[in-house]
Amino acid sequence: MKNNYINLKKEKKIDIVLTRISNMVNFLKSEKKKIIFGKLLFDKIYVDIEEEIHSISKNCIIKILDKNIEILMLYEDFINSNIALNLKKKFRNNFLSGWGKGNNINEARHNAEKSYIKNKETNTEVIYLVSTNSETILSEINAKKRRILK
């Protein structure tokens, strides 16, 4: 099972795995890596915003509450899709965002809130990804220009 999972994942033939085999749980937990939680506040919600987000990253869960949007996804999908940067590029100054990384949803949500508050206080174009130990600034599309602050 483990070898099948690894091979299918490398070939990008699977997105999610559900299992009843108890000895696979710890293995899959370590493979799942980190969770990303995004908190966005728009000046207005665009009719096709959910479709737009899914066009950037199909592997995310979106919840829209009034002018707030919450996005939940795996770290690997967040990095591969550049969702934060693509949304900022598409909507420019029409929203504030906060992105958090954690070992579980609550930790990721808490870090997203910290990132959101920092973005709101500085009122800049900078996009922050906050984890328990660090802040990553994702202000440039070019990955070489990303900075990590401890």
Side-chain angles (χ1 to χ4, degrees):
M1 285 282 295
K2 291 178 186 177
N3 288 335
N4 286 343
Y5 170 79
I6 291 168
N7 291 333
L8 291 171
K9 185 74 172 170
K10 282 181 187 175
E11 295 170 13
K12 297 188 178 194
K13 291 185 177 180
I14 59 172
D15 293 322
I16 191 167
V17 175
L18 302 174
T19 184
R20 290 177 39 182
I21 302 171
S22 61
N23 65 352
M24 286 288 291
V25 174
N26 287 336
F27 169 75
L28 290 173
K29 279 184 181 178
S30 67
E31 283 292 310
K32 193 175 176 185
K33 300 189 179 155
K34 302 281 184 183
I35 294 174
I36 298 293
F37 190 91
K39 177 182 176 174
L40 292 74
L41 174 64
F42 281 80
D43 58 356
K44 68 175 186 173
I45 294 293
Y46 301 91
V47 174
D48 60 346
I49 186 69
E50 191 167 352
E51 292 169 11
E52 181 68 36
I53 293 169
H54 278 295
S55 74
I56 298 168
S57 177
K58 293 180 182 12
N59 298 327
C60 65
I61 299 170
I62 301 166
K63 183 177 179 181
I64 301 174
L65 305 161
D66 193 27
K67 294 181 181 181
N68 294 293
I69 297 178
E70 295 178 346
I71 301 172
L72 184 65
M73 61 195 319
L74 296 177
Y75 179 72
E76 181 181 358
D77 295 327
F78 177 78
I79 295 301
N80 290 336
S81 68
N82 284 329
I83 192 166
L85 301 173
N86 283 314
L87 286 174
K88 193 67 169 175
K89 187 176 177 182
K90 171 85 177 173
F91 296 106
R92 307 227 184 252
N93 294 333
N94 297 330
F95 75 99
L96 289 172
S97 68
W99 298 90
K101 179 169 73 167
N103 291 316
N104 56 57
I105 294 171
N106 289 334
E107 184 180 337
R109 180 178 289 177
H110 175 74
N111 289 330
E113 184 67 31
K114 290 192 318 191
S115 172
Y116 176 82
I117 290 168
K118 185 170 185 134
N119 191 339
K120 190 174 180 179
E121 287 172 352
T122 59
N123 197 25
T124 63
E125 294 283 325
V126 177
I127 301 170
Y128 296 97
L129 172 63
V130 174
S131 66
T132 303
N133 300 338
S134 67
E135 286 180 6
T136 304
I137 298 176
L138 307 170
S139 59
E140 299 289 336
I141 292 173
N142 185 344
K144 291 178 184 176
K145 293 185 180 180
R146 292 182 187 171
R147 261 185 4 202
I148 297 178
L149 303 174
K150 294 272 181 180

